[in-house]
Amino acid sequence: MALGLASRKKTRRVPDPPQVALCVQRIRAVLDGCTLADPADLNDDAPRRVAAYLQQRTRLPRKEGGLSHQTAAFMLAAVRRFVWWLSARKRVPVRPDLLDDVPGFDPAGNRVHARRAVSAEELARLLEAALKSTRPVRGLAGPARYHLYLVAFATGFRAA
């Protein structure tokens, strides 16, 4: 439960190293972006600063460091857990509910990359091109990509 990744739930699941790294990255990004470098900075002004920072990042294009509403929601949740952890587990004089008033985000209502329907003809062209391809993509040859794409379209599973 190190690094502020403790949950308010009673379960005792230890996060995987990639999950820890991602949470630490999200927490650092928000704290650095809001210039909240010290626990004393987590005062009554912190919620306003966190909200302004995340809102500003969601308005930027991705190439300029912008975030989707989904990512902003994940970042806000990670920082909220971190502040709670500081207060409850490390006994730092910070209100555990300090960031609970920061407005959330609506990932479902603000999709940046909406999924679209793929016609049977378009799918057939994609599968045929993958099967005939001689160039490896992400370490996969054409026939392997063909089967991967076929499973992905048939099941809805994605790489993540």
Side-chain angles (χ1 to χ4, degrees):
M1 300 297 174
L3 300 174
L5 299 177
S7 172
R8 293 182 190 189
K9 297 177 183 174
K10 297 293 182 198
T11 60
R12 298 277 182 185
R13 187 182 65 84
V14 176
D16 297 333
Q19 183 66 27
V20 172
L22 183 61
C23 285
V24 169
Q25 176 187 355
R26 288 173 177 161
I27 292 165
R28 282 188 178 147
V30 173
L31 295 179
D32 290 346
C34 298
T35 59
L36 300 171
D38 192 70
D41 294 336
L42 294 170
N43 53 31
D44 291 338
D45 190 42
R48 183 196 58 78
R49 291 164 67 179
V50 169
Y53 171 74
L54 291 174
Q55 287 292 338
Q56 182 261 337
R57 291 275 311 267
T58 58
R59 287 188 211 105
L60 291 174
R62 186 173 180 179
K63 289 183 180 181
E64 296 175 18
L67 302 173
S68 69
H69 281 246
Q70 181 77 55
T71 302
F74 287 146
M75 292 175 91
L76 180 57
V79 173
R80 281 179 176 155
R81 283 192 313 269
F82 179 69
V83 169
W84 174 85
W85 176 81
L86 281 175
S87 174
R89 300 292 173 119
K90 294 300 177 183
R91 307 286 188 228
V92 174
V94 175
R95 283 189 8 240
D97 63 345
L98 178 69
L99 299 178
D100 286 356
D101 291 334
V102 174
F105 295 88
D106 180 22
N110 292 293
R111 284 281 169 215
V112 177
H113 303 290
R115 304 288 184 227
R116 63 179 181 86
V118 177
S119 68
E121 295 80 23
E122 190 176 7
L123 176 59
R125 285 195 313 269
L126 172 72
L127 292 173
E128 184 179 339
L131 192 58
K132 293 180 179 179
S133 175
T134 58
R135 183 177 59 101
V137 174
R138 294 188 180 192
L140 294 175
R145 283 198 332 273
Y146 167 84
H147 292 289
L148 181 68
Y149 297 160
L150 188 60
V151 168
F153 271 94
T155 64
F157 288 142
R158 298 296 175 257

